[in-house]
Amino acid sequence: MVSRSYSNLLDLTSCGSPSFGREKKRLPRVATVAGVLSELDDETSNSVGSETPSSVSQERMIIVGNQLPLKAHRKDNGTWEFTWDEDSLLLQLKDGLGDDVETIYIGCLKEEIEPSEQDDVAQHLLDTFKCVPTFLPPELFSKFYHGFCKQHLWPLFHYMLPLSPDLGGRFDRSLWQAYVSVNKIFADKVMEVISPDDDFVWVHDYHLMVLPTFLRKRFNRVRLGFFLHSPFPSSEIYRTLPVRDELLRALLNSDLIGFHTFDYARHFLSCCSRMLGISYQSKRGYIGLEYYGRTVSIKILPVGIHIGQLQSVMSHPETESKVAELKNQFRDQTVMLGVDDMDIFKGISLKLLAMEQLLLQHPDKRGKVVLVQIANPARGRGKDVQEVQSETYATVKRINNTFGRPGYTPVVLIDTPLQSYERIAYYVISECCLVTAVRDGMNLIPYEYIICRQGSEKIDEILGTDPLTQKRSMLVVSEFIGCSPSLSGAIRVNPWNIDAVAEAMDSALMVPEAEKQMRHEKHYRYVSTHDVAYWARSFLQDLERACRDHLRRRCWGIGFGLGFRVIALDPNFRKLSVEHIVSAYKRTKNRAILLDYDGTMVQPGSMSTTPNAEAVGILNILCRDTKNCVYIVSGRERKTLTEWFSSCERMGIAAEHGYFVRTNQNAEWETCVPVPDFEWKQIAEPVMQLYTETTDGSNIETKESALVWNYEYADRDFGSCQAKELFDHLESVLANEPVSVKSSPNIVEVKPQGVSKGIVAERLLLTMQQKGVIPDFVLCIGDDRSDEDMFGVIMNAKSSLSPVAEVFPCTVGQKPSKAKYYLEDTSEILRMLQGLASATEQSNRSSSQPSR
């Protein structure tokens, strides 16, 4: 597929992406203002979104997949003829979006289009089908699809590790570069038609996993969903991929990520936790990941089938004729059916071996039971496909030679493409459907089989069954396929256990008629109510919910290449201007300054946690100013803080999150919360010790007022699991004690009830008020969750402050917070405090000079 429509690529990979050409013609973009076309180019790609309101009123969904839902045929006169591919999931899902949602498709064509024809074909497809074709040069397409997708992602996502060059092949960075290049080309195609403030974008499957990054980079507020149709492997498998972080971060640039089963979603969440340190939360039934202020929602719902299409084909005369033909062909025989692609993961050979075992162990089945195996052409290519074909043909030949006789062929292998009506006819006459895939993302064959077994009046007439009699069906399915959890009436098997599969096949044939009818009714009720329209409608509803706060948030794009991500923050949240706060500082006379220590005054993760001379010097200058009341508010012990700040005689210190407070070096330590005793420690510490012994890398930190269980250096998933167990255990055993159990990142803490940094802020403002000093300047800086209590207090303390008070709650880094301001890091905080200290020194010099 040679293309004229692709552009130079961003240098996203370490070796740089190959350049395959330049875009010569672009389709017009959707007008965002009447008469004006948006023609942004990549150099301005950090835009927040369309700055002007869109004139498009109808809701639109841009559906992006590797292939367009079209069939192409070159006619005798050399022109192309295009028709809808009725079997395409991307086309079928349109039924669930509603008539008021316009759909535009973006993807590749299955046929190669000559460069000279591409412009005309593209225009025809846009005008006739609302499809935007992505033309790729053959070399690039081969590296992208047959290379990275089929040699790396597909095997790995199906639990096949590249242990040798023959098994999947070693990681090839040139194939990765081609994958990135193609995703960029797809992004360019989306840019040609998107109206970013009005359209939804729905990206499908593993071929386009980095596309969300390109789209989010161009339009920070793009409303973007992604659905993975393949399995997502466990973290132990996924972590072997050299570009694991890039793919995870790219997916997290979506607003909603969909999976067929909870297992797939659980593996994805585990990878995010283990490799990126991002934990998920479940709230009111919804699972979400907090990613730089954005909530990335997780959707778990298996796709369904298009029932109307199946029923339509069933009513065709050729279907009815085929059913009559097959009924006659297999008269007096019971048909068991398998429908699979000819690839290594579909388990065709295992199914054949089970059939062989069934005929060996149950001689009475010979001559009576037939396995019809429909083998669709493999989607990939390579040595593994050839091996599967060779093994399949050899096994079929052996079984038929051993057990076959005139008029009886035990295994009927159909390896030529079938029309839809032919496949449906086989569904109709089969007593049992077998799916023995060793790994499959979903597999809709059982769903199709159930609908076809429900039949129709004409089909019932051909089969000679009473239309009023309940229909029946039996399923034997692998426990490793995505549809298995939804089919509770199926016989689930481990396909690797040949004996167990053979016994399951025998059981399926021996089940009483009434039970077959009951199982069929149960399955039919589920499949008929959870069709593809239901799936698409549910996904769109969740995508709308996930995107509803987009316009309310302020967005910044940060990072380079595939490390790009968007920070979404409250619109009132902004960077603290040093000039602004210094100006306010100079105008005011009664100032309260509250400073966290770890992560605020000292860089997080530093080898040395003691304050440096510069920080101590700045604090001393601020403390000596009689207009200031300065406090360090920390979770550390009072002994440590006393040693570190011994030179700051006039500075107040709040230790252990505010349990101990001292107004200055000469004052006595006081407690903010009265605690009669700490006998609860004798209960809590043995419990913590138990979890410490069973969790490698964890430890207990004993404070005067609290106990902290720290699992920062434990296995992330196991530590998190143990922390939840410990939290519940402690809450149970300490239910009657005057303490609270708190869970924060990497710690579980038990401390007296009512202790928080917010208490310190309340106490400081109240003390100043009692002294007749009404604060007109409040600065509070902190970096973590414990500091949010202080921010909340000073933001709501209007009665304790001057009516014209300047209030500066400030967090460290751009992240969701109660604070109104942020500074990037410790160095910026020290620079700002130095500005305040300089203002104090300047004021002292001015007051010390004699008036003239």
Side-chain angles (χ1 to χ4, degrees), residues 798-833:
K798 295 181 180 179
S799 60
S800 302
L801 305 178
S802 165
V804 293
E806 301 274 6
V807 181
F808 298 95
C810 178
T811 190
V812 184
Q814 299 181 45
K815 58 175 180 280
S817 172
K818 293 178 184 177
K820 289 175 57 178
Y821 302 95
Y822 74 90
L823 289 171
E824 292 289 358
D825 51 31
T826 299
S827 60
E828 286 197 357
I829 292 169
L830 291 177
R831 197 177 307 123
M832 182 272 295
L833 293 176

Short mmCIF file of all heavy atoms in Angstrom, two decimals, residues 798-833:
data_model
loop_
_atom_site.label_atom_id
_atom_site.label_comp_id
_atom_site.label_asym_id
_atom_site.label_seq_id
_atom_site.Cartn_x
_atom_site.Cartn_y
_atom_site.Cartn_z
N LYS A 798 -11.73 32.46 57.20
CA LYS A 798 -12.00 33.89 56.98
C LYS A 798 -12.28 34.64 58.28
O LYS A 798 -11.89 35.79 58.44
CB LYS A 798 -13.18 34.05 56.03
CG LYS A 798 -12.90 33.52 54.62
CD LYS A 798 -14.11 33.72 53.72
CE LYS A 798 -13.80 33.19 52.32
NZ LYS A 798 -14.98 33.35 51.41
N SER A 799 -12.94 33.97 59.23
CA SER A 799 -13.29 34.65 60.49
C SER A 799 -12.05 34.94 61.34
O SER A 799 -12.09 35.81 62.22
CB SER A 799 -14.27 33.79 61.29
OG SER A 799 -13.70 32.53 61.60
N SER A 800 -10.96 34.20 61.11
CA SER A 800 -9.75 34.39 61.91
C SER A 800 -8.76 35.34 61.24
O SER A 800 -7.70 35.62 61.82
CB SER A 800 -9.07 33.04 62.15
OG SER A 800 -9.93 32.14 62.78
N LEU A 801 -9.08 35.79 60.03
CA LEU A 801 -8.13 36.60 59.27
C LEU A 801 -8.67 38.00 59.04
O LEU A 801 -9.87 38.26 59.16
CB LEU A 801 -7.85 35.93 57.91
CG LEU A 801 -7.36 34.48 57.93
CD1 LEU A 801 -7.19 33.98 56.50
CD2 LEU A 801 -6.04 34.38 58.69
N SER A 802 -7.77 38.87 58.67
CA SER A 802 -8.14 40.22 58.30
C SER A 802 -9.00 40.17 57.03
O SER A 802 -8.78 39.30 56.18
CB SER A 802 -6.88 41.05 58.04
OG SER A 802 -7.20 42.24 57.35
N PRO A 803 -9.97 41.06 56.88
CA PRO A 803 -10.80 41.07 55.66
C PRO A 803 -9.98 41.23 54.37
O PRO A 803 -10.43 40.80 53.30
CB PRO A 803 -11.73 42.26 55.87
CG PRO A 803 -11.75 42.46 57.35
CD PRO A 803 -10.40 42.08 57.85
N VAL A 804 -8.81 41.83 54.49
CA VAL A 804 -7.98 42.05 53.29
C VAL A 804 -6.76 41.12 53.31
O VAL A 804 -5.75 41.41 52.67
CB VAL A 804 -7.54 43.52 53.19
CG1 VAL A 804 -8.73 44.42 52.94
CG2 VAL A 804 -6.78 43.95 54.46
N ALA A 805 -6.87 40.02 54.04
CA ALA A 805 -5.72 39.13 54.18
C ALA A 805 -5.32 38.51 52.84
O ALA A 805 -6.15 38.18 52.01
CB ALA A 805 -6.04 38.03 55.19
N GLU A 806 -4.01 38.37 52.65
CA GLU A 806 -3.45 37.69 51.49
C GLU A 806 -3.14 36.25 51.90
O GLU A 806 -2.33 36.02 52.82
CB GLU A 806 -2.15 38.38 51.05
CG GLU A 806 -2.32 39.85 50.69
CD GLU A 806 -2.73 40.04 49.23
OE1 GLU A 806 -2.99 39.02 48.57
OE2 GLU A 806 -2.76 41.19 48.76
N VAL A 807 -3.79 35.27 51.27
CA VAL A 807 -3.64 33.86 51.66
C VAL A 807 -2.99 33.09 50.51
O VAL A 807 -3.46 33.15 49.37
CB VAL A 807 -5.00 33.24 52.01
CG1 VAL A 807 -4.83 31.78 52.43
CG2 VAL A 807 -5.67 34.04 53.12
N PHE A 808 -1.91 32.36 50.83
CA PHE A 808 -1.15 31.65 49.80
C PHE A 808 -0.95 30.18 50.17
O PHE A 808 0.10 29.78 50.66
CB PHE A 808 0.23 32.31 49.62
CG PHE A 808 0.17 33.74 49.15
CD1 PHE A 808 0.21 34.78 50.07
CD2 PHE A 808 0.05 34.03 47.80
CE1 PHE A 808 0.14 36.10 49.65
CE2 PHE A 808 -0.01 35.35 47.37
CZ PHE A 808 0.03 36.39 48.29
N PRO A 809 -1.98 29.34 49.98
CA PRO A 809 -1.75 27.88 50.11
C PRO A 809 -1.01 27.40 48.85
O PRO A 809 -1.46 27.63 47.74
CB PRO A 809 -3.17 27.31 50.17
CG PRO A 809 -4.03 28.33 49.49
CD PRO A 809 -3.36 29.65 49.63
N CYS A 810 0.11 26.72 49.04
CA CYS A 810 0.98 26.39 47.91
C CYS A 810 1.47 24.94 48.03
O CYS A 810 2.06 24.57 49.06
CB CYS A 810 2.16 27.36 47.85
SG CYS A 810 3.34 27.01 46.54
N THR A 811 1.25 24.15 47.01
CA THR A 811 1.75 22.78 46.98
C THR A 811 3.00 22.70 46.12
O THR A 811 3.32 23.64 45.38
CB THR A 811 0.67 21.81 46.47
OG1 THR A 811 1.11 20.48 46.67
CG2 THR A 811 0.38 22.01 44.98
N VAL A 812 3.69 21.59 46.21
CA VAL A 812 4.93 21.38 45.46
C VAL A 812 4.61 20.52 44.24
O VAL A 812 4.19 19.36 44.38
CB VAL A 812 6.02 20.71 46.32
CG1 VAL A 812 7.32 20.61 45.53
CG2 VAL A 812 6.23 21.51 47.60
N GLY A 813 4.79 21.07 43.06
CA GLY A 813 4.51 20.33 41.83
C GLY A 813 3.08 20.54 41.36
O GLY A 813 2.19 20.88 42.15
N GLN A 814 2.88 20.35 40.06
CA GLN A 814 1.55 20.51 39.48
C GLN A 814 0.77 19.22 39.67
O GLN A 814 1.04 18.21 39.03
CB GLN A 814 1.67 20.83 37.98
CG GLN A 814 2.42 22.11 37.71
CD GLN A 814 2.50 22.39 36.22
OE1 GLN A 814 1.53 22.28 35.50
NE2 GLN A 814 3.68 22.75 35.76
N LYS A 815 -0.19 19.26 40.59
CA LYS A 815 -1.00 18.07 40.88
C LYS A 815 -2.29 18.51 41.55
O LYS A 815 -2.39 19.64 42.04
CB LYS A 815 -0.24 17.12 41.81
CG LYS A 815 0.21 17.73 43.14
CD LYS A 815 0.85 16.68 44.01
CE LYS A 815 1.31 17.24 45.36
NZ LYS A 815 2.59 17.94 45.25
N PRO A 816 -3.31 17.66 41.54
CA PRO A 816 -4.56 18.02 42.19
C PRO A 816 -4.34 18.33 43.67
O PRO A 816 -3.66 17.58 44.37
CB PRO A 816 -5.43 16.75 42.01
CG PRO A 816 -4.84 16.05 40.84
CD PRO A 816 -3.37 16.33 40.88
N SER A 817 -4.91 19.43 44.13
CA SER A 817 -4.67 19.86 45.51
C SER A 817 -5.72 20.89 45.91
O SER A 817 -6.33 21.54 45.06
CB SER A 817 -3.26 20.48 45.61
OG SER A 817 -3.06 21.06 46.89
N LYS A 818 -5.90 21.03 47.23
CA LYS A 818 -6.75 22.10 47.75
C LYS A 818 -6.06 23.45 47.64
O LYS A 818 -6.70 24.50 47.75
CB LYS A 818 -7.09 21.83 49.22
CG LYS A 818 -7.97 20.61 49.45
CD LYS A 818 -8.22 20.40 50.94
CE LYS A 818 -9.02 19.13 51.20
NZ LYS A 818 -9.21 18.88 52.65
N ALA A 819 -4.75 23.42 47.43
CA ALA A 819 -3.98 24.66 47.33
C ALA A 819 -4.34 25.42 46.05
O ALA A 819 -4.71 24.82 45.04
CB ALA A 819 -2.49 24.36 47.36
N LYS A 820 -4.22 26.74 46.11
CA LYS A 820 -4.49 27.57 44.93
C LYS A 820 -3.24 27.77 44.08
O LYS A 820 -3.34 28.14 42.91
CB LYS A 820 -5.01 28.95 45.38
CG LYS A 820 -6.40 28.95 45.94
CD LYS A 820 -6.79 30.33 46.46
CE LYS A 820 -6.69 31.40 45.40
NZ LYS A 820 -7.10 32.72 45.92
N TYR A 821 -2.08 27.54 44.70
CA TYR A 821 -0.82 27.82 44.00
C TYR A 821 0.09 26.59 44.04
O TYR A 821 -0.09 25.68 44.83
CB TYR A 821 -0.10 29.00 44.67
CG TYR A 821 -0.90 30.28 44.73
CD1 TYR A 821 -1.64 30.60 45.87
CD2 TYR A 821 -0.91 31.17 43.65
CE1 TYR A 821 -2.38 31.77 45.93
CE2 TYR A 821 -1.64 32.35 43.72
CZ TYR A 821 -2.37 32.64 44.85
OH TYR A 821 -3.11 33.80 44.91
N TYR A 822 1.08 26.63 43.17
CA TYR A 822 2.11 25.60 43.18
C TYR A 822 3.45 26.20 42.83
O TYR A 822 3.54 27.25 42.16
CB TYR A 822 1.77 24.47 42.19
CG TYR A 822 1.98 24.85 40.74
CD1 TYR A 822 3.20 24.64 40.10
CD2 TYR A 822 0.94 25.41 40.00
CE1 TYR A 822 3.39 25.00 38.77
CE2 TYR A 822 1.11 25.76 38.68
CZ TYR A 822 2.34 25.56 38.06
OH TYR A 822 2.52 25.91 36.75
N LEU A 823 4.51 25.58 43.31
CA LEU A 823 5.87 25.82 42.86
C LEU A 823 6.44 24.47 42.45
O LEU A 823 6.06 23.44 43.00
CB LEU A 823 6.72 26.46 43.97
CG LEU A 823 6.37 27.92 44.30
CD1 LEU A 823 7.11 28.39 45.55
CD2 LEU A 823 6.71 28.85 43.13
N GLU A 824 7.32 24.46 41.48
CA GLU A 824 7.73 23.21 40.85
C GLU A 824 8.50 22.29 41.79
O GLU A 824 8.27 21.09 41.82
CB GLU A 824 8.57 23.49 39.60
CG GLU A 824 7.79 24.13 38.46
CD GLU A 824 6.80 23.17 37.81
OE1 GLU A 824 6.74 22.00 38.21
OE2 GLU A 824 6.08 23.60 36.90
N ASP A 825 9.45 22.86 42.57
CA ASP A 825 10.31 21.99 43.37
C ASP A 825 10.91 22.77 44.53
O ASP A 825 10.61 23.96 44.74
CB ASP A 825 11.42 21.38 42.51
CG ASP A 825 12.18 22.42 41.71
OD1 ASP A 825 12.31 23.57 42.19
OD2 ASP A 825 12.66 22.09 40.60
N THR A 826 11.77 22.08 45.28
CA THR A 826 12.40 22.67 46.46
C THR A 826 13.22 23.91 46.13
O THR A 826 13.22 24.89 46.88
CB THR A 826 13.31 21.62 47.14
OG1 THR A 826 12.50 20.50 47.54
CG2 THR A 826 14.00 22.19 48.35
N SER A 827 13.92 23.89 45.01
CA SER A 827 14.75 25.03 44.64
C SER A 827 13.89 26.28 44.42
O SER A 827 14.29 27.40 44.82
CB SER A 827 15.57 24.73 43.38
OG SER A 827 14.72 24.43 42.29
N GLU A 828 12.71 26.12 43.81
CA GLU A 828 11.83 27.28 43.62
C GLU A 828 11.28 27.78 44.95
O GLU A 828 11.09 28.99 45.14
CB GLU A 828 10.69 26.92 42.67
CG GLU A 828 11.11 26.82 41.20
CD GLU A 828 9.92 26.88 40.25
OE1 GLU A 828 8.77 26.94 40.73
OE2 GLU A 828 10.16 26.86 39.02
N ILE A 829 11.01 26.86 45.87
CA ILE A 829 10.52 27.26 47.19
C ILE A 829 11.57 28.07 47.93
O ILE A 829 11.28 29.13 48.51
CB ILE A 829 10.12 26.01 48.00
CG1 ILE A 829 8.89 25.35 47.37
CG2 ILE A 829 9.84 26.37 49.46
CD1 ILE A 829 8.57 23.99 47.92
N LEU A 830 12.81 27.57 47.91
CA LEU A 830 13.89 28.31 48.59
C LEU A 830 14.11 29.67 47.94
O LEU A 830 14.40 30.65 48.63
CB LEU A 830 15.17 27.48 48.57
CG LEU A 830 15.16 26.21 49.44
CD1 LEU A 830 16.45 25.43 49.27
CD2 LEU A 830 14.94 26.57 50.91
N ARG A 831 13.96 29.72 46.61
CA ARG A 831 14.13 31.00 45.91
C ARG A 831 13.03 31.98 46.33
O ARG A 831 13.28 33.17 46.54
CB ARG A 831 14.08 30.77 44.40
CG ARG A 831 14.64 31.94 43.58
CD ARG A 831 14.65 31.62 42.09
NE ARG A 831 15.34 30.37 41.83
CZ ARG A 831 14.80 29.32 41.20
NH1 ARG A 831 13.55 29.38 40.78
NH2 ARG A 831 15.50 28.24 41.00
N MET A 832 11.82 31.49 46.48
CA MET A 832 10.72 32.34 46.91
C MET A 832 10.92 32.81 48.35
O MET A 832 10.73 33.99 48.68
CB MET A 832 9.40 31.58 46.78
CG MET A 832 8.14 32.37 47.16
SD MET A 832 7.74 32.25 48.92
CE MET A 832 7.36 30.51 49.06
N LEU A 833 11.32 31.87 49.26
CA LEU A 833 11.56 32.25 50.65
C LEU A 833 12.73 33.23 50.76
O LEU A 833 12.72 34.12 51.63
CB LEU A 833 11.84 30.99 51.49
CG LEU A 833 10.66 30.02 51.67
CD1 LEU A 833 11.11 28.78 52.43
CD2 LEU A 833 9.50 30.70 52.40
#
